[in-house]
Amino acid sequence: MITATEVQTLEFRIVRQVKTDPPLTFTVEITYDSEDDGYLVKCPELDVVTWGDDWDDAVESLLDGVELVAESLVETHNRSPNLQDPRLRHAQFIVRLGGEEAIRKILGL
């Protein structure tokens, strides 16, 4: 006997370009998985991946993760200026924004 299980997945993607020189692109990918009953959220430009039980929890977790990674990258660069990281320009921009509400707006959340 063969049985099939239906799995529903909801995917949402936001791509925002910031007019800097050169321009910066920020992507947010949100995926709902009914099997795990939660949301996986990613910001690939900063290599941030988080999880939340509901949409709001997932978004808040992403905002916290983006801010934490950005601050950490900038601090590391300040201590070791020769260290290169492709995420640094995105991180410096996020840190200059100065807070969660500004980050939310830039990411389109």
Side-chain angles (χ1 to χ4, degrees):
M1 173 197 241
I2 298 175
T3 60
T5 303
E6 182 179 332
V7 177
Q8 293 181 344
T9 303
L10 169 70
E11 294 185 21
F12 189 75
R13 185 172 194 203
I14 302 168
V15 179
R16 304 282 299 251
Q17 189 171 49
V18 181
K19 294 182 180 184
T20 56
D21 186 28
L24 292 174
T25 300
F26 287 91
T27 307
V28 174
E29 299 170 356
I30 304 172
T31 305
Y32 174 74
D33 188 332
S34 60
E35 272 187 21
D36 294 326
D37 194 29
Y39 293 84
L40 180 68
V41 188
K42 302 176 187 177
C43 179
E45 290 78 12
L46 290 168
D47 290 333
V48 175
V49 179
T50 63
W51 178 264
D53 291 329
D54 59 42
W55 179 276
D56 292 334
D57 185 39
V59 168
E60 287 301 318
S61 184
L62 177 72
L63 293 171
D64 291 344
V66 164
E67 194 168 21
L68 182 64
V69 167
E71 289 171 353
S72 177
L73 284 168
V74 169
E75 287 175 16
T76 299
H77 177 72
N78 289 342
R79 285 193 310 269
S80 305
N82 293 330
L83 228 94
Q84 296 300 315
D85 190 309
R87 302 171 296 170
L88 183 59
R89 287 190 57 247
H90 287 82
Q92 290 169 327
F93 181 82
I94 290 292
V95 168
R96 282 194 304 268
L97 289 175
E100 188 176 294
E101 284 307 310
I103 296 169
R104 180 185 294 273
K105 184 176 179 181
I106 286 297
L107 297 180
L109 300 169

